[in-house]
Amino acid sequence: MSEPARRVVVVGAGMAGVQTAVALREQGYGGAVTLIGAEPHPPYDRPPLSKALLLGKADSSAFDLDFAALDVELRLGLDVTGLRAGDRELDTAAGPVPYDVLVVATGAEPVLLPGTEGMPGVHALRTLDDAERLRPVLARRQAIVVVGAGWIGAEFTTAAREAGCAVTVVEAADRPLAGALPAEVTGPMAGWYGESGAELLTHARVAAVEPGAVVLADGRSLPAEAVVVGVGARPATAWLAGSGIALGPDGSVTADERLRASLPDVYAVGDCASFPSARYGERLLVHHWDNALQGPRTVAAQVLGETERVYDPVPYFWSEQFGRFVQYAGHHAAADALVRRGDPAGAAWSAVWLRDGVLVALLAVGRPRDLAQGRKLIDAGARVDPARVADPSVPLRGAVV
């Protein structure tokens, strides 16, 4: 190992930051590692925030890690406000922090409704504090308006209905998940809201949030003791302004195929970083847990001098909503064919995307075996027979040609 005394500073104590520190130690890095987190809480996992933690079924989602035993210095409750790359220093509220190697893992921050920042009763669901503020809302069974029928909106609506809240979901597009999946796939999902007892309003835009109400652009007023906003997230990279680190139009750090940023000895990983995918022929920005888990291994390998490892994963995520386990693997943007497996009106079905006969993406609802097999086939670049793919009784691996 070269330069074992180099100081690695990781900014961001979410999954990507924590796993970077863990991966460095697991791969044999012996130098100093400092992990800086803006929140005061011990580092925690985010998926339980919209599920067990929100409903009071769990008290904590803290990572089960002994940072002292890992010899990782934790600096929590510390905002990093800037980067002076020439001096190899970070600006923080507690003074400058020097680094030899910097890993940017600051994640993403929720997009807010204009004019609602700091407004009482308006919530995001991104942090532990957000979940703690929402727990009593659910416990009191308040009337809630959810703005946005994306992944977070669906998961929160599921929890709120389980808690007995009256929920109205406002979506500007014509269907749920309009920004994530095509209409022929998401169409059946609209019915899930009604089945749960929630009301889904599509083609509906918020004009104003008032005390006790959400006013729509068409003049309708929806009673709302609480408003939960889930209209997307953007990379938390504003603090890098003027640093010389290249950012994309979406605000992400434009990392290369080894997750290196545009400055020497600076890496970026997780929700704040985009990377070029040779597999899909485009740059990807993946806001999901698995990306924050996998990328740090590549970063650690780079810090340790292994220059051959390229980051080009098969993106994967899951969502638990309305009594269903929804999983997705791959990237369907360049697909030229969609093949269904099973009836979308039923409890279990899948949608499979092909490009030139090669499996490139898969959405599985209640069919985890399809997901497990499909993910491996996507990774292998397997060519499949569409007719056999369309037969839900045929295992996906049995459709390979």
Side-chain angles (χ1 to χ4, degrees):
M1 179 175 61
S2 62
E3 299 183 74
R6 289 191 303 168
R7 295 162 296 185
V8 178
V9 176
V10 183
V11 182
M15 172 63 81
V18 167
Q19 289 301 321
T20 297
V22 169
L24 283 165
R25 293 302 188 222
E26 286 182 344
Q27 295 183 34
Y29 187 76
V33 178
T34 299
L35 183 62
I36 300 177
E39 295 182 57
H41 313 289
Y44 60 88
D45 203 6
R46 293 192 190 278
L49 297 184
S50 61
K51 305 176 185 74
L53 208 101
L54 187 63
L55 289 167
K57 296 179 180 179
D59 294 325
S60 172
S61 64
F63 291 116
D64 186 18
L65 289 170
D66 187 336
F67 290 97
L70 284 171
D71 193 21
V72 171
E73 179 191 16
L74 270 184
R75 300 191 65 179
L76 300 177
L78 183 60
D79 274 317
V80 178
T81 56
L83 164 63
R84 287 175 288 108
D87 298 327
R88 297 213 173 197
E89 283 187 343
L90 298 168
D91 291 323
T92 80
V97 176
Y99 70 86
D100 296 307
V101 176
L102 173 64
V103 182
V104 179
T106 40
E109 56 196 6
V111 175
L112 304 176
L113 282 180
T116 64
E117 189 169 1
M119 183 179 289
V122 179
H123 305 264
L125 181 51
R126 185 77 186 182
T127 68
L128 182 59
D129 288 340
D130 292 336
E132 291 292 350
R133 282 189 287 267
L134 279 164
R135 279 172 73 165
V137 170
L138 269 60
R140 291 194 296 266
R141 298 186 177 182
Q142 292 188 338
I144 301 172
V145 169
V146 176
V147 183
W151 300 112
I152 287 292
E155 291 182 4
F156 176 81
T157 299
T158 300
R161 286 299 302 141
E162 186 176 332
C165 298
V167 183
T168 303
V169 182
V170 176
E171 171 56 53
D174 61 347
R175 63 188 192 279
L177 295 167
L181 294 166
E184 59 264 40
V185 173
T186 59
M189 297 178 175
W192 299 354
Y193 287 80
E195 288 174 16
S196 78
E199 183 178 12
L200 172 64
L201 304 179
T202 56
H203 296 289
R205 294 187 176 275
V206 174
V209 177
E210 301 174 348
V214 171
V215 180
L216 301 183
D218 63 7
R220 282 179 290 177
S221 180
L222 309 175
E225 294 171 274
V227 179
V228 177
V229 181
V231 294
R234 57 178 166 240
T237 55
W239 65 280
L240 292 171
S243 68
I245 289 185
L247 303 178
D250 53 15
S252 65
V253 178
T254 52
D256 70 6
E257 71 280 0
R258 293 178 173 85
L259 298 181
R260 298 174 297 200
S262 59
L263 295 177
D265 293 314
V266 180
Y267 301 86
V269 67
D271 288 6
C272 66
S274 63
F275 58 90
S277 170
R279 183 191 309 276
Y280 293 106
E282 61 181 284
R283 179 168 287 276
L284 300 182
L285 174 61
V286 181
H287 280 194
H288 292 296
W289 187 91
D290 189 65
N291 179 52
L293 178 68
Q294 291 198 60
R297 298 166 191 157
T298 297
V299 171
Q302 292 298 310
V303 173
L304 283 154
E306 181 196 313
T307 59
E308 299 306 311
R309 188 178 303 201
V310 168
Y311 189 61
D312 195 5
V314 174
Y316 165 72
F317 69 90
W318 78 96
S319 176
E320 296 175 69
Q321 52 182 270
F322 307 115
R324 295 165 171 87
F325 189 41
V326 182
Q327 296 170 283
Y328 178 93
H331 182 65
H332 65 270
D336 55 32
L338 171 64
V339 182
R340 296 189 182 278
R341 285 169 64 79
D343 181 2
W349 52 274
S350 296
V352 178
W353 286 270
L354 310 179
R355 185 178 64 213
D356 297 329
V358 174
L359 184 58
V360 294
L362 169 81
L363 176 77
V365 177
R367 290 182 65 94
R369 186 172 298 176
D370 276 4
L371 191 287
Q373 294 182 16
R375 192 177 182 185
K376 292 176 181 176
L377 296 178
I378 295 168
D379 191 42
R383 188 173 299 277
V384 292
D385 175 3
R388 291 181 66 77
V389 168
D391 185 344
S393 70
V394 175
L396 271 180
R397 64 186 174 211
V400 175
V401 295

